[in-house]
């Protein structure tokens, strides 16, 4: 996101505490005179005096493996952190974009899931810290819009992947984990019978969706799903990764984590109509680029 904005001529202030982001991803921007970096945990107040036109809240650990280890940080990033970021936007009369998640739908009864669906979420389950925090974050954003007339936009992001995604340890989401396992000859760890589905969005498509959401006047006050409609089972994904990497790895099956949503596919009618957005990269293309990148850094 920072790189895309800098390349388009914008001035960018990036705030990160590297809870899940990595310094290497912004290293090439550090010497750019239009890029400023502040190492800070957004859950605590931060005075920013230089003028801002847009504020994006994209902070939060998002890997299910981390929900068990950092539930309080995750809750804070999406509640207190959203409050701090909203305060910064209010001070500068800036537009506010919140990156929420498909997780606000929980295990949905309606698939493809439209933004009007209110969710089927377990607040005290292992995903509650993330799902409920994001739901609370959305409520904060709408409260600032109602009470302070802040110009706001909410993106509900569906599983996003691509180069620079973390592969290591508990940070790893299913795509980098499967690629890493396939490239190192380990078994690919399929949870459950692998019949659960996800709809994966390539990183550059996601960025384009977020920038359209931020820039277009018609998106003011909107909540919009940003995700690819191509739904795939986890088992099919594992087989695809083995084929694309040319790996000799086999599959191993493990218990399905509690509250793991069975299906996830967005209804993108709003994104198409209001943002004129639809994803360009196919899963095969996106996976090939991600595999190439993971190979290059391993
Ligand atoms: N998954 C899997 N094996 C893994 C990691 C994940 O089968 O080693 C499954 C997981 O159970 C879920 C899907 O892949 O159904 C996507 O998992 P991810 O952690 O990427 O994020 P989620 O979409 O669950 O938030």
């Amino acid at each position: 996101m920072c790189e895309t904005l800098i390349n388009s001529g914008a001035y960018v202030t990036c705030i990160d505490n590297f809870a899940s982001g990595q310094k290497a991803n912004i290293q090439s921007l550090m010497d750019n005179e239009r890029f400023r970096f502040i190492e800070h945990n957004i859950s605590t107040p931060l005075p920013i005096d230089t003028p801002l036109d847009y504020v994006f809240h994209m902070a939060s650990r998002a890997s299910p493996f981390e929900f068990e280890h950092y539930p309080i940080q995750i809750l804070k990033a999406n509640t207190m952190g959203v409050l701090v970021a909203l305060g910064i936007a209010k001070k500068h009369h800036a537009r506010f974009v919140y990156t929420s998640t498909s997780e606000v739908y929980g295990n949905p009864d309606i698939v493809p899931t439209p933004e009007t669906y209110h969710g089927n979420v377990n607040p005290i389950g292992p995903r509650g810290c993330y799902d409920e925090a994001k739901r609370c974050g959305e409520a904060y954003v709408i409260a600032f819009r109602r009470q302070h007339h802040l110009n706001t936009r909410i993106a509900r992001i569906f599983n996003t992947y691509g180069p620079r995604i973390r592969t290591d340890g508990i940070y790893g989401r299913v795509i980098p984990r499967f690629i890493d396992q396939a490239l190192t000859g380990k078994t690919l760890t399929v949870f459950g019978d692998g019949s659960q589905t996800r709809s994966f969005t390539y990183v550059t498509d996601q960025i384009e969706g977020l920038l359209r959401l931020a820039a277009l006047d018609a998106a003011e006050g909107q909540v919009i799903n940003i995700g690819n409609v191509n739904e795939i089972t986890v088992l099919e994904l594992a087989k695809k990764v083995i084929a694309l990497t040319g790996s000799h790895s086999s599959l191993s099956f493990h218990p399905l984590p509690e509250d793991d949503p069975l299906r996830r596919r967005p209804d993108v009618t709003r994104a198409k109509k209001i943002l004129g957005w639809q994803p360009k990269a196919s899963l095969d293309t996106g996976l090939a680029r991600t595999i190439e990148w993971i190979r290059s850094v391993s």
Side-chain angles (χ1 to χ4, degrees), residues 111-230:
V111 181
T113 312
E115 293 85 349
T116 46
Y117 182 68
H118 291 171
N120 175 23
V121 175
N122 176 4
I124 56 167
R127 289 181 175 249
C129 61
Y130 187 68
D131 302 4
E132 294 294 359
K134 287 286 185 189
R135 290 167 69 88
C136 180
E138 289 196 13
Y140 263 124
V141 174
I142 295 303
F144 268 68
R145 181 167 183 272
R146 293 211 175 102
Q147 197 172 324
H148 297 306
H149 309 291
L150 197 71
N151 187 318
T152 66
R153 294 107 201 280
I154 295 173
R156 291 191 181 143
I157 292 179
F158 284 65
N159 294 57
T160 297
Y161 72 102
R164 296 182 182 164
I165 195 166
R166 287 185 86 139
T167 53
D168 51 312
I170 61 169
Y171 297 98
R173 309 293 297 278
V174 68
I175 286 184
R177 274 170 74 85
F178 279 177
I179 294 175
D180 185 58
Q181 290 165 341
L183 292 179
T184 53
K186 298 190 189 103
T187 59
L188 272 66
T189 51
V190 175
F191 296 163
D193 60 5
S195 62
Q196 70 274 30
T197 70
R198 294 294 184 269
S199 303
F200 295 99
T201 313
Y202 189 64
V203 59
T204 49
D205 285 328
Q206 186 60 246
I207 289 170
E208 188 186 329
L210 292 175
L211 292 180
R212 283 173 181 256
L213 181 70
L216 293 172
D217 287 340
E220 202 283 313
Q222 293 285 342
V223 179
I224 302 187
N225 287 336
I226 303 186
N228 200 310
V229 292
N230 292 329

Side-chain angles (χ1 to χ4, degrees), residues 65-72 170:
F65 294 108
E66 294 183 289
F67 299 168
E68 190 188 333
H69 297 274
Y70 304 102
I72 299 170
I170 61 169

